[in-house]
Each structure stands twice: as C-alpha cells, then as structure tokens.
Amino acid sequence: MGDFLAEAEKAIPAEVHMISGCMDSQTSADVSNVASFSLPDPAGKAGGALTSSLLKVLYADHRKPDGDLSFQEVLMKVRGVLGGSYTQIPQLSSSRPMDINTPFEIVPDGCTGTKRALLIGINYVGQQGQLSGCHNDVLNMVEYLKDVWGFPPQNITVLLDDGSHVNPTRSNILNAYRTLVAESQPGDAVYCHYSGHGGKLRDDDGDEKDGYDETLVPLDYQSAGQIRDDDLFNTLVGPMKKGVQATCIMDCCHSGSILDLPYVFKADGEQTEMAPSPDFDMGPLLALAGALASGASITEALSQQDPQQLMVMAQQCCTIL
C-alpha cells in the first residue's frame, strides 16, 4: 500500500477527485425534463442524468442542504435518484486515498488560494446524435459554483456549442485545460466539468488492460479526432501542480476511468470505503509523468474512426429521452 501511494504521488502531484456518471462499461443518459428532478433551471429544459441528480442532492430549490453531506452520502443519494429510471452506478475516483465519510467539498476548508473553473457542454447541435441537456448542465453548475462555493465569475471559463461561447472543439478544449493548469498554483481550488458524449477507441499504445482508451468526443471529432484518456492525463492530470485540489465531474458515457485515477469508490451499495482500483497498473502513468518531467511530448496517435460508426456508438451510449 505504501509503495502504491508513493507511486501515485509521483505520477500525479496534485490531489484530483473525479465523480463520473457511470463505470467504463456503462452508458450515460440525457434527461429531457429536469423538472422531474425539481432543479433550479435558469437556462433551459434539459440536463444530464448525473448533473441533474447531483444538483438535486446538493442544490435543490436553489439552496444547499441544511447539514453537511459526506462524499459517500452524496454518491449514494445520487444513485438513489438515478435508481428510479436509470441503471448508472456513479463513482468517485481520486489520486489519493480518501475517507469517503468526510464532508463533500469542492473548495477545501480554509482554502486561501484562487478558485478557478472550466466547464464544457456539447449538445452537437445539428449533428446526428444531438443531445439536449449539456448546455443546461453547465449553466446550472455555474450558478451552484458561484452561489455555494464562491467562485468569482471572472475565473469561470465556459465552452458551449451555442453560438455565444467559445466552441468546444478538440483544440479549444485541450488549450483550455492547458491554460487552467498553467494558471493554477499550490493552494488553489479547481473545478472541471464535462457534459457531452464519451466513447471508447482501441488502445494505441498498450497501456490499457481492456484494450481500449476512454475518450471525450469534441464538437469537431469528425475532422480532429477524439480526446483520449492519455491526452487528458498529459494535458490536465499529470501537469497539475502539487498543492492544487481539483474536482472533476464527467457526465458522459464510459467515464469511470477517463482520468486514470488509482483509487475508487463505487456507489453500488456494496463498497463501503475507497480502495485502490483492482489491477490498476501504475507503470504507464509513471512513464507519462516521466515524459512530462523531462519536457517531452507524448506522441498523439489518434486513429480516425469512421464518423458513421461513432454516431452509432453515440446513439447506443446516450439515451436521448
């Protein structure tokens, strides 16, 4: 356990927490009527299943719960909300072992650093496989971050394919992550949110035991390709400085290990504490961390998947109600 933790600290200097909507083998869902979740809805009529459920637990009626909820309580309540119509099992992953009974937080108690947020929502407007909830996810979460956690508006970056914000293209997403990492300093609190399609591509460098990389699907995936989990580690997770606490919400399909974090708690009603992810191989992460430390760039070898095949996967992966 000691060696595993030491390797985790070497591979991932920052403390990174991620709540994902489902395990790698599961799909996410798009909720067409957030009123059924009794959500504050300042920006539309749709929301993702994970985001809608989280906000029902954490921000129902536009107010935070009267008492503190632990990480475990939040995830189990989210699972309870999802359990009415969905089979998703949310999970909490982390770069460090966590006591899941500690109060849920996005900003650490006593934080004196800067609060920064990057939120990405992609509805794929006008494309086959169009979603309806992702813009609303982002705008609802912005209100929650400002109201409950005190994030200043000038430190909140939003990418949406709505014609008014910066488009969430592959290049813009990766550049936004790079900027966030470059600006974040020890003591800062960082929040990242992604609502959109997620997918899987055949592993191109042999670092995945199941033979597949988990991916985010940017707006221009047909021309620029998808964003592999290796890209996310290389751009966001690995370079984040020690002393930064980052919280990431991934409301997309196949998102369980999208950030390659070594510790996991699954809200399946059976697991009672966070534990090292079974069969997690720290070797590839240490290799990536070593490349980052040396200043080398990790070769991107994104295979261009046939767009029609990807849209079939997208329709299977996200239930559009």
Side-chain angles (χ1 to χ4, degrees), residues 46-68:
L50 172 63
T51 306
S52 296
S53 301
L54 266 175
L55 287 172
K56 177 177 176 62
V57 172
L58 296 171
Y59 198 48
D61 301 320
H62 226 128
R63 56 192 291 269
K64 65 181 296 187
D66 293 332
D68 288 335

Side-chain angles (χ1 to χ4, degrees), residues 62-84:
H62 226 128
R63 56 192 291 269
K64 65 181 296 187
D66 293 332
D68 288 335
L69 296 173
S70 69
F71 280 93
Q72 182 179 25
E73 288 171 328
V74 168
L75 262 72
M76 293 307 297
K77 286 179 179 291
V78 167
R79 174 73 193 281
V81 175
L82 290 171

Side-chain angles (χ1 to χ4, degrees), residues 80-102:
V81 175
L82 290 171
S85 305
Y86 308 102
T87 60
Q88 293 171 239
I89 299 177
Q91 66 180 43
L92 170 67
S93 304
S94 180
S95 62
R96 305 286 184 269
M98 293 174 57
D99 180 358
I100 59 174
N101 295 305
T102 57

Side-chain angles (χ1 to χ4, degrees), residues 4-5 12 36 55 67 78 82 119 141 145 161 225 237 239 273 297 302 316:
F4 189 82
L5 176 57
I12 308 172
S36 66
L55 287 172
V78 167
L82 290 171
L119 299 94
M141 288 303 302
L145 291 173
D161 57 332
V237 179
E273 61 183 12
S297 174
L302 291 174
Q316 292 173 341

Side-chain angles (χ1 to χ4, degrees), residues 3-320:
D3 290 343
F4 189 82
L5 176 57
E7 290 179 342
E9 292 173 342
K10 182 177 180 181
I12 308 172
E15 184 165 343
V16 182
H17 307 153
M18 179 186 75
I19 296 177
S20 55
C22 48
M23 300 183 293
D24 285 342
S25 59
Q26 291 186 301
T27 58
S28 184
D30 192 44
V31 180
S32 60
N33 182 10
V34 293
S36 66
F37 290 86
S38 301
L39 284 178
D41 187 16
K45 296 182 179 179
L50 172 63
T51 306
S52 296
S53 301
L54 266 175
L55 287 172
K56 177 177 176 62
V57 172
L58 296 171
Y59 198 48
D61 301 320
H62 226 128
R63 56 192 291 269
K64 65 181 296 187
D66 293 332
D68 288 335
L69 296 173
S70 69
F71 280 93
Q72 182 179 25
E73 288 171 328
V74 168
L75 262 72
M76 293 307 297
K77 286 179 179 291
V78 167
R79 174 73 193 281
V81 175
L82 290 171
S85 305
Y86 308 102
T87 60
Q88 293 171 239
I89 299 177
Q91 66 180 43
L92 170 67
S93 304
S94 180
S95 62
R96 305 286 184 269
M98 293 174 57
D99 180 358
I100 59 174
N101 295 305
T102 57
F104 176 87
E105 63 180 18
I106 289 177
V107 177
D109 190 34
C111 173
T112 58
T114 301
K115 303 168 187 175
R116 293 185 177 84
L118 170 61
L119 299 94
I120 300 162
I122 315 177
N123 276 346
Y124 309 89
V125 177
Q127 300 188 44
Q128 186 181 3
Q130 179 172 323
L131 300 174
S132 61
C134 300
H135 298 169
N136 198 59
D137 287 350
V138 164
L139 297 173
N140 278 331
M141 288 303 302
V142 165
E143 293 305 308
Y144 170 70
L145 291 173
K146 292 191 298 186
D147 188 24
V148 175
W149 295 104
F151 279 71
Q154 66 270 23
N155 289 352
I156 299 175
T157 300
V158 172
L159 276 62
L160 297 175
D161 57 332
D162 63 351
S164 299
H165 294 80
V166 174
N167 263 337
T169 62
R170 186 177 191 277
S171 176
N172 287 343
I173 290 171
L174 292 175
N175 284 336
Y177 283 139
R178 291 187 186 102
T179 299
L180 184 69
V181 167
E183 293 179 345
S184 298
Q185 301 299 322
D188 290 353
V190 170
Y191 177 84
C192 297
H193 190 106
Y194 175 85
S195 289
H197 278 308
K200 302 182 82 169
L201 289 176
R202 193 168 296 280
D203 179 25
D204 62 359
D205 60 7
D207 68 340
E208 299 286 348
K209 286 186 176 294
D210 65 357
Y212 289 91
D213 283 327
E214 286 69 46
T215 67
L216 305 182
V217 181
L219 181 64
D220 60 343
Y221 71 91
Q222 295 188 43
S223 59
Q226 301 176 52
I227 299 174
R228 294 178 184 260
D229 49 12
D230 293 347
D231 299 314
L232 291 172
F233 186 90
N234 187 28
T235 305
L236 174 65
V237 179
M240 192 69 78
K241 300 175 185 70
K242 182 178 181 179
V244 175
Q245 178 168 308
T247 300
C248 302
I249 304 296
M250 293 294 187
D251 196 353
C252 59
C253 303
H254 311 296
S255 54
S257 65
I258 188 73
L259 296 186
D260 286 325
L261 300 176
Y263 295 91
V264 64
F265 166 72
K266 297 177 183 177
D268 57 5
E270 298 179 4
Q271 191 170 346
T272 58
E273 61 183 12
M274 179 169 278
S277 181
D279 300 320
F280 191 92
D281 184 1
M282 199 70 73
L285 293 191
L286 290 171
L288 289 172
L292 290 170
S294 68
S297 174
I298 298 175
T299 302
E300 293 184 355
L302 291 174
S303 58
Q304 297 299 316
Q305 184 166 319
D306 178 59
Q308 300 257 346
Q309 182 179 357
L310 178 59
M311 278 297 101
V312 170
M313 178 189 296
Q315 290 177 322
Q316 292 173 341
C317 118
C318 294
T319 305
I320 304 175

